[in-house]
Amino acid sequence: MSKKYTLDNGLVIVGEEINHVNSVSFGIWVDVGSRYEDEYTNGMSHFIEHMLFKGTKNRTAKKIAEEIDHLGGHINAFTSKETTCYYVKMIDEHIESGINILADMILNPLFLDEDISKERSVILEEINMYEDSPEDLAHDMLFEMIYKNQGIGRNILGTRTSLKKIKRENMVEFFNKYYVPNNCVISICGNFNFENMVELIERKFKGWNNKKDKNIDINNCNFNLGIITRNKDIEQMNLCMGLESIGLESEDIYALSIVNNIFGSSMSSRLFQNIREEQGTVYSIYSYLTLNKGVGVFNISSSMSEKNIYRVYNSIINEIKLIKENSLTKEEIKRSKEQLKGNYILGLESTSSRMMSMGKSQILLNKVNNPKDILNKINNVTDDEIDNIIKGIFDTDKIAISVVGKNSENLSF
């Protein structure tokens, strides 16, 4: 069972004590990502994530790495559309050292011009790396088209143009705006005492004060249809399709997850069994959910040779029509619920995954559901709820499409 405490400065702490393990996972979550950026600041959240590892007033970049490595721990971070997370995993007796380092990174970053210049080059190489991954590129292109000129559609890494324009003063201003305690959450899971941990965190972050209200505007997003292509001299065509879905906060996510299992998220799904196993026209095909606050996309991704793209596309369209016309059988729903519950439970086997689950839920939804509640919600999904979610999302007239591959500009769907 998770516990929650809010410090006087607004910093929220959520934690779960698991005393039969010997590790602790500790994460600092910031409510900021590419959704909060404009064309001039695009890539800033991710850039700052990199910069916090470049050294503090008390530690060099090398010292940060050495202190963690020498204790057998792990430190990392990531940026998403809506959040940035910095985390460590240590054996329980060393967790205070990990917290010391993360607190130092958050409270005392340097943002030296020399480091900014070097890290800009690193991120530009990261962009090159992702553009060499056609599957990732097709997904990013799809979102940039669906949410054109909207924060949720902006690339997390930024663009070459936006990155080159970012100066130190812009970075410090952005950091001071969003890296405030009442815009952050600390999530902890493992072998620790929650009350003692709260006292420790309060000491480490006592100098961190509020600087602005947590009233950050993220406007409602418009879902744009269309087709976007990118020619690349590669062997396969990469097709990504998107249907307008529901937001992360919707109670219908459990019904949609059940549908996704059956439609395309596993090897036993309709997409995989029909298009890969029976037709043999693809190697990779699957569906997945991209859920954000207030908005969501039901994604279908596949890769195939150029000669098969129309057959695969038409087969996907046919599967969408079939599920909408005939819905799901009771046996399919029963199996999908068990699959979903099993996947969820297995995903909570490590302290890291539990820390991530709690932190993400608290920062985005302002609550943490316990596993028993989640399992009950899956069990309680009704056939009518499933029918309604299918009718609301599976519409072949409202599909956004991106394609990466040879001669992709000549395609017509």
Side-chain angles (χ1 to χ4, degrees):
M1 183 69 69
S2 64
K3 298 180 181 181
K4 179 179 174 180
Y5 187 86
T6 303
L7 301 182
D8 291 341
N9 62 4
L11 179 62
V12 176
I13 304 167
V14 291
E16 182 177 3
E17 300 169 352
I18 305 178
N19 297 325
H20 61 268
V21 299
N22 296 311
S23 67
V24 178
S25 294
F26 182 101
I28 301 177
W29 296 73
V30 189
D31 192 5
V32 68
S34 56
R35 187 171 190 174
Y36 298 88
E37 300 166 356
D38 57 29
E39 61 179 305
Y40 304 104
T41 58
N42 188 203
M44 186 74 82
S45 302
H46 176 256
F47 206 152
I48 288 174
E49 176 219 311
H50 276 232
M51 289 304 302
L52 262 59
F53 285 86
K54 301 305 290 183
T56 73
K57 296 175 182 177
N58 305 302
R59 293 174 173 86
T60 63
K62 184 179 180 181
K63 186 67 173 175
I64 291 172
E66 285 179 343
E67 285 190 39
I68 296 292
D69 287 346
H70 293 170
L71 294 175
H74 177 72
I75 186 170
N76 211 335
F78 63 85
T79 305
S80 70
K81 296 282 186 181
E82 296 177 304
T83 64
T84 307
C85 177
Y86 304 84
Y87 59 94
V88 294
K89 183 174 184 179
M90 315 279 288
I91 60 173
D92 46 19
E93 64 186 87
H94 293 320
I95 189 58
E96 185 172 354
S97 297
I99 296 172
N100 285 338
I101 292 170
L102 284 184
D104 193 24
M105 289 166 58
I106 294 289
L107 299 177
N108 303 302
L110 293 176
F111 298 120
L112 299 178
D113 285 324
E114 180 183 1
D115 291 333
I116 291 173
S117 178
K118 289 179 181 178
E119 209 59 27
R120 193 191 329 269
S121 297
V122 170
I123 297 172
L124 289 171
E125 289 300 324
E126 190 175 358
I127 290 175
N128 292 336
M129 179 185 71
Y130 274 97
E131 289 194 347
D132 281 343
S133 172
E135 188 174 335
D136 292 330
L137 180 58
H139 174 90
D140 288 343
M141 286 168 48
L142 184 72
F143 270 70
E144 289 167 12
M145 180 187 68
I146 289 175
Y147 299 117
K148 186 176 182 180
N149 298 325
Q150 301 170 79
I152 194 70
R154 299 190 194 283
N155 194 295
I156 294 167
L157 302 181
T159 67
R160 291 179 178 85
T161 300
S162 66
L163 288 172
K164 290 175 181 177
K165 292 181 178 179
I166 291 176
K167 308 293 185 185
R168 183 183 188 277
E169 55 267 27
N170 311 130
M171 188 172 289
V172 171
E173 180 183 5
F174 193 93
F175 178 84
N176 289 337
K177 180 178 181 179
Y178 292 104
Y179 280 68
V180 293
N182 63 346
N183 197 46
C184 297
V185 165
I186 286 178
S187 178
I188 323 128
C189 184
N191 188 19
F192 70 100
N193 176 274
F194 187 79
E195 288 70 27
N196 292 342
M197 184 63 74
V198 167
E199 292 179 4
L200 174 63
I201 293 170
E202 197 157 23
R203 292 199 305 271
K204 302 300 180 185
F205 292 91
K206 64 182 178 181
W208 200 18
N209 298 314
N210 277 332
K211 296 179 182 177
K212 79 184 291 289
D213 292 333
K214 191 184 173 182
N215 183 21
I216 301 169
D217 182 33
I218 49 172
N219 296 320
N220 291 329
C221 299
N222 298 316
F223 189 99
N224 298 308
L225 302 177
I227 301 173
I228 186 169
T229 63
R230 174 81 67 86
N231 279 339
K232 263 194 172 300
D233 188 14
I234 52 180
E235 292 301 318
Q236 286 192 308
M237 306 290 281
N238 291 265
L239 170 67
C240 193
M241 303 164 67
L243 298 158
E244 186 172 13
S245 182
I246 56 178
L248 181 66
E249 69 284 353
S250 174
E251 286 296 315
D252 289 331
I253 62 171
Y254 304 102
L256 182 58
S257 297
I258 291 169
V259 174
N260 182 44
N261 276 345
I262 297 166
F263 185 78
S265 74
S266 67
M267 291 178 65
S268 63
S269 68
R270 294 183 178 188
L271 284 183
F272 191 93
Q273 287 299 312
N274 179 18
I275 301 174
R276 172 175 159 148
E277 297 297 275
E278 293 184 21
Q279 296 182 21
T281 51
V282 300
Y283 175 75
S284 171
I285 186 164
Y286 57 95
S287 64
Y288 58 100
L289 309 178
T290 304
L291 303 175
N292 298 104
K293 288 184 283 189
V295 295
V297 178
F298 187 95
N299 306 271
I300 302 163
S301 178
S302 59
S303 55
M304 73 297 296
S305 63
E306 184 179 350
K307 67 178 182 179
N308 286 329
I309 187 164
Y310 286 118
R311 184 180 177 187
V312 172
Y313 171 80
N314 289 327
S315 295
I316 293 171
I317 293 296
N318 187 55
E319 291 295 335
I320 293 173
K321 290 179 179 178
L322 284 174
I323 199 170
K324 186 166 187 177
E325 291 169 2
N326 302 321
S327 194
L328 307 176
T329 67
K330 291 187 179 296
E331 185 60 29
E332 282 180 315
I333 293 171
K334 180 181 178 181
R335 288 200 305 264
S336 183
K337 285 183 177 181
E338 292 305 310
Q339 178 185 350
L340 197 61
K341 289 187 293 183
N343 290 341
Y344 174 70
I345 292 169
L346 290 176
L348 296 178
E349 286 291 302
S350 73
T351 60
S352 297
S353 60
R354 291 199 187 196
M355 181 278 288
M356 292 289 180
S357 179
M358 287 190 300
K360 181 179 179 181
S361 182
Q362 181 62 44
I363 198 78
L364 293 177
L365 301 176
N366 198 32
K367 64 179 181 179
V368 176
N369 291 316
N370 67 55
K372 185 177 179 180
D373 290 337
I374 298 292
L375 295 175
N376 285 336
K377 288 179 179 181
I378 295 171
N379 280 327
N380 292 332
V381 171
T382 66
D383 293 357
D384 286 342
E385 289 171 333
I386 288 174
D387 289 342
N388 289 334
I389 204 72
I390 290 173
K391 291 174 183 176
I393 293 175
F394 286 78
D395 187 344
T396 56
D397 293 325
K398 296 180 179 179
I399 299 178
I401 301 169
S402 70
V403 185
V404 176
K406 287 180 183 177
N407 304 315
S408 58
E409 83 280 8
N410 298 322
L411 295 171
S412 177
F413 295 104

